[in-house]
Each structure stands twice: as structure tokens, then as C-alpha cells.
Amino acid sequence: MIALWKAEYQKTRRRYLMLFVLGMSAVVMAWALSGKINEDGIRKGWYMLLYQMPVTNTLMLPVMAMLLSFRLGDLEHKNGMLKQLCCVVDKGKLFDAKLLYGLGLMFAGIALQWCAVIADGFFRHHFGGVFLWKEYLLLLLFTIAPAAAIYVLQHTLAMCFTKPAAPYVVGIVGEFAGVMSLFLPYRWFSQTIPWGYFGALMIVGMEYDKETRISTYFYREINWRGFAAIVTITIVIYATGRIAFCKKEE
């Protein structure tokens, strides 16, 4: 497996995938952290970001997963390289190696965003109150879980389909449904698709008063059932995708 990871690194050296991840993370941070924050926002900043980041992640992380998985899968589909590789490497090991390599890049981007959010609160905006370590660790966990499920699904599609139409259609439709689930009153809907779990696992909600223009943040019950569900979904997608890829005729 280590040899396959090294091979993936060698194949992607000139495709600048890590630079792509850094660029996407920079866009997320510029979007999430830009703008002027008033005094009320400074006081409630740690809670504000706990609410804001899952919304931002619903918009941006699925795009990163879709494009990253396609670029990794496209390497093998070009010029029939996948057919040649499958003659010397077990298809299941190849599927796993590329999946772990892509997930590593995804998780690097997520970790970078998480650190940037915390650094912004401490050193740029100087948010008031005590830093919420427990809540921010949960934010990281509840970001990784749905991001992993989405990436495994996109990876499976990218490896099983030669043309990019299927991964792109599924990714775009899924992201649209995930964004819609954030604003629908039916919480169960967000737990029917992987893209909706960024919102389903939110630990902070918000109410906005139009007259006073004051936002009130409140804790939501931690959705451990939802977390267990998205982990189960990830395992099912992985097992199904791996079997489908291994049985795929080249």
C-alpha cells in the first residue's frame, strides 16, 4: 500500500493537487472571515463561527471533493491507463490507495480551515469570552464525517465512470439538495443525503431579530444518532463502491 501511495504522489506531482486544496481553503476562509464585525459579533464570535462554518462547508467542501476526486480518477482513465494498472495491481488495493490519498488531501484542507478559524478569532478579531475547545473539536469531527462520506461517493463515481458527467451531475444535484436542507424546517430531510449532514450535525443555531439586528445563538442537542448514521452511510458507500469497481470490466 505504501508503494501505491508513493506512486500516487509521483503521478500527481505536476497536477498541483495540494495547491488546489490550499486555494480552495483560502477561498473558504476569505468568504467565511471577511467583512466587518460589530461589537455584538465580537462578543459572540466563537458562537457565530460555530454556526457559520457548517453553512460554508455545505457550499464549498462538496465542490472540493468533486473536483479533487475527478482529477485523481481522470489520471487512470486517460489513454487506458486503468486497464494497464489492473494487470499488475489488485483493483481493490488501487481503489483503496487512491481513496486514502484523496481523503488525506481533503482532511489537510479541513484541518487548515479549522486552524485558520481559531487563529482568526484569537489574533485578528479578538473574540470575547472563553474559547470553546469542546465545541470546536466537535465542529472538526462533524465536518470530517460528512466530508468523508461525500468524498467516498465522488471517488467511487470517478473511478467507475470514464466520463465526468455522472460525478458532476451527482455532485451538483447533491450540493443543491444539501444547501436547500439548511433552510427547510424538516430536519429529517438533511439526514437523507450525505450533503445534508453538515447542517444536521450543527451544534449551534441562530435566531435573528430584524428590529434590533441582534443575532442570538443557542446550543442544539448534539446529534450523535446523525453522526452514527453518516459513519454507517460512509461504510456502506465504500463497500458498495469497492465491489462495483472490482467487478467493473475495463
Side-chain angles (χ1 to χ4, degrees):
M1 184 65 72
I2 295 177
L4 291 175
W5 290 342
K6 289 182 179 178
E8 288 300 317
Y9 172 74
Q10 292 296 330
K11 286 188 290 185
T12 58
R13 285 182 64 184
R14 296 184 181 276
R15 294 181 72 89
Y16 306 107
L17 295 183
M18 194 61 207
L19 185 61
F20 166 75
V21 171
L22 292 174
M24 287 290 296
S25 299
V27 171
V28 172
M29 291 300 97
W31 188 2
L33 304 177
S34 62
K36 186 177 181 180
I37 301 179
N38 57 26
E39 292 183 5
D40 182 64
I42 295 294
R43 288 195 301 270
K44 303 173 182 177
W46 295 121
Y47 298 96
M48 177 185 68
L49 288 179
L50 285 172
Y51 172 81
Q52 185 172 316
M53 288 311 299
V55 177
T56 305
N57 290 332
T58 303
L59 292 167
M60 301 302 296
L61 287 183
V63 176
M64 184 189 298
M66 178 176 63
L67 296 178
L68 185 60
S69 61
F70 172 73
R71 294 189 72 181
L72 284 171
D74 188 52
L75 281 171
E76 314 304 347
H77 292 305
K78 281 185 175 180
N79 303 318
M81 286 299 298
L82 187 59
K83 185 176 182 179
Q84 299 177 45
L85 270 175
C86 291
C87 294
V88 294
V89 178
D90 180 74
K91 294 182 74 172
K93 290 184 178 179
L94 177 63
F95 183 89
D96 292 344
K98 294 188 76 68
L99 174 62
L100 291 174
Y101 186 75
L103 281 175
L105 292 172
M106 278 289 295
F107 293 163
I110 291 171
L112 179 63
Q113 294 173 27
W114 184 75
C115 292
V117 164
I118 296 173
D120 179 85
F122 273 119
F123 304 114
R124 179 168 173 250
H125 284 118
H126 305 287
F127 290 147
V130 178
F131 177 63
L132 310 172
W133 274 107
K134 178 183 176 181
E135 287 80 356
Y136 274 81
L137 288 173
L138 286 174
L139 172 66
L140 179 62
L141 179 64
F142 291 161
T143 301
I144 288 174
I150 294 168
Y151 187 84
V152 173
L153 176 58
Q154 293 289 159
H155 169 77
T156 299
L157 295 172
M159 293 297 289
C160 291
F161 290 90
T162 305
K163 302 295 183 182
Y168 281 171
V169 169
V170 171
I172 293 170
V173 172
E175 177 166 0
F176 177 77
V179 172
M180 289 296 296
S181 71
L182 291 172
F183 305 100
L184 293 175
Y186 314 108
R187 193 174 181 183
W188 59 266
F189 177 72
S190 62
Q191 300 185 56
T192 60
I193 53 174
W195 296 267
Y197 276 85
F198 292 109
L201 297 177
M202 290 176 69
I203 59 178
V204 168
M206 182 192 71
E207 291 181 354
Y208 180 70
D209 191 322
K210 294 183 179 179
E211 294 183 359
T212 61
R213 296 184 178 182
I214 293 177
S215 298
T216 302
Y217 299 94
F218 57 90
Y219 283 111
R220 297 170 60 174
E221 182 180 357
I222 298 177
N223 189 3
W224 289 114
R225 289 185 179 180
F227 176 74
I230 192 60
V231 171
T232 303
I233 289 171
T234 305
I235 294 171
V236 171
I237 294 173
Y238 164 74
T240 305
R242 193 176 191 272
I243 292 171
F245 177 71
C246 290
K247 291 185 176 181
K248 178 177 177 289
E249 294 292 337
E250 299 304 329

